[in-house]
Amino acid sequence: MEQYIKDLVPYHFSFINNKKDETPREIFEQNHKGLMKESYEWIKETSNPCSVVAALIGSVCLATSSTAPGSTNKGKPKLEGQPAFDAFAIASLIGLSFSITTLTMFLAIPTSRKQVEDFRKSLSLMHFLA
């Protein structure tokens, strides 16, 4: 949103302060403090249950990728070489990879920095989607 407004306003106006000697950036930050706090709480509340679900799916994928269906004969699965077994093994490893990636992303969200610059794109998108 800030970049959108910067493009609309002539360049020399961006350095002018208001009567309280505040820059446009300071005014933006003051007006959106509540929004930043609300968004941080929403992100935290949303990412915690999602990380639990990703961890559960990851543990199931780990269990299925480390054990072979059916029995084994001298350490080799009896179903080895059959297309269904190969498809199961590949799907299990892909699921494990995706669940670990998802878990990492959901754990990184609450620890990421929350700055005004981070909301530049998301606020613009929300404005145009509304």
Side-chain angles (χ1 to χ4, degrees):
M1 187 70 166
E2 182 182 357
Q3 187 65 36
Y4 175 73
I5 293 173
K6 272 186 180 179
D7 293 340
L8 289 177
V9 176
Y11 180 73
H12 61 279
F13 284 169
S14 62
F15 297 107
I16 297 175
N17 296 348
N18 66 1
K19 293 179 183 177
K20 297 178 185 176
D21 200 34
E22 297 172 322
T23 63
R25 180 179 190 81
E26 291 171 346
I27 296 169
F28 183 83
E29 289 176 5
Q30 288 174 1
N31 290 340
H32 293 89
K33 278 184 183 178
L35 181 63
M36 291 211 22
K37 186 174 180 174
E38 285 178 34
S39 66
Y40 176 72
E41 292 298 321
W42 180 82
I43 286 172
K44 196 166 70 171
E45 290 175 8
T46 304
S47 66
N48 286 339
C50 292
S51 19
V52 169
V53 170
L56 290 174
I57 292 172
S59 62
V60 169
C61 288
L62 179 64
T64 58
S65 65
S66 62
T67 58
S71 59
T72 58
N73 187 11
K74 297 180 183 178
K76 286 191 170 186
K78 287 185 177 180
L79 301 175
E80 186 177 26
Q82 294 185 3
F85 178 77
D86 293 340
F88 170 78
I90 291 170
S92 174
L93 288 174
I94 289 172
L96 179 63
S97 302
F98 282 142
S99 64
I100 289 173
T101 303
T102 305
L103 181 61
T104 305
M105 288 174 57
F106 278 122
L107 291 177
I109 287 172
T111 59
S112 66
R113 64 184 188 104
K114 279 89 180 160
Q115 301 293 325
V116 175
E117 294 86 18
D118 299 333
F119 293 96
R120 177 182 293 166
K121 287 186 180 178
S122 60
L123 286 176
S124 300
L125 281 174
M126 289 170 48
H127 178 268
F128 288 116
L129 293 176

